[in-house]
Amino acid sequence: MEDSEMSHKRNAALTTMWIEFDALEKEIRCPICLSVCENIISLPCHHFFCEVCLNGFNIQQANPESSQSSQEPQNHRRRKKRKKSAANSRMCPICKAEYKRRNVDLDPTLNSLSSYYNKLKKELPRAQTQDIIQRFELEISRPL
């Protein structure tokens, strides 16, 4: 096989690998921090987030900064009652579906996927990818 043809195959394989790798990254990215999720919590609505991001979102939603300090005391008491009754109820940051705090936990499947992705990312830096492709050059060039 000619060098130019082999080079073309290597470049095509390399491009395909990185396109797929980038697509995987987009799938496991936290919609809050926009990084690859860590300690992934999956909600009943099937959206998932980093545990830290989701907890931060819930704290922010539970304690919004109030600029209306001149409200009547009666309204303030009503708001406190609502907060107390909704203390265990949370809201998905994406679809706003309510869920109970006790109904969510770390997602072992997504956490394994994220961990594997991070391991691959460390082991396959773009600069070394050519060496990996060259190691499998015989497999690429063998006729079927």
Side-chain angles (χ1 to χ4, degrees):
M1 189 177 286
E2 290 183 25
D3 285 341
S4 64
E5 189 178 342
M6 184 59 76
S7 177
H8 178 69
K9 281 190 173 188
R10 267 189 246 131
N11 289 339
L14 181 64
T15 300
T16 300
M17 183 179 77
W18 282 110
I19 288 170
E20 295 299 324
F21 201 66
D22 289 342
L24 175 60
E25 181 178 340
K26 288 175 187 169
E27 290 296 320
I28 58 174
R29 191 179 291 162
C30 174
I32 296 174
C33 69
L34 303 177
S35 296
V36 173
C37 282
E38 295 181 11
N39 298 322
I40 301 172
I41 293 198
S42 186
L43 301 181
C45 61
H46 303 291
H47 291 119
F48 60 88
F49 307 89
C50 298
E51 181 178 28
V52 171
C53 294
L54 187 61
N55 288 339
F57 176 83
N58 288 326
I59 288 169
Q60 185 180 11
Q61 294 302 307
N63 302 314
E65 293 181 8
S66 174
S67 61
Q68 300 173 350
S69 58
S70 63
Q71 290 184 339
E72 299 175 18
Q74 187 179 16
N75 288 343
H76 186 67
R77 278 194 293 273
R78 271 194 226 133
R79 190 174 33 239
K80 274 190 175 177
K81 285 181 184 177
R82 265 189 251 127
K83 276 188 182 178
K84 207 172 198 179
S85 67
N88 201 24
S89 183
R90 310 290 172 122
M91 189 183 308
C92 172
I94 293 178
C95 68
K96 308 301 182 206
E98 287 190 19
Y99 67 93
K100 299 287 184 193
R101 185 176 179 184
R102 67 177 176 263
N103 293 342
V104 299
D105 204 358
L106 293 176
D107 188 313
T109 304
L110 289 174
N111 279 304
S112 293
L113 181 63
S114 176
S115 176
Y116 185 64
Y117 171 86
N118 286 324
K119 182 179 178 184
L120 278 175
K121 190 172 183 178
K122 288 177 186 173
E123 291 178 6
L124 299 174
R126 291 180 192 258
Q128 296 176 359
T129 306
Q130 279 290 20
D131 295 334
I132 294 164
I133 296 297
Q134 286 174 356
R135 275 190 258 154
F136 296 104
E137 185 175 72
L138 291 175
E139 294 298 319
I140 294 170
S141 63
R142 283 191 188 159
L144 296 175

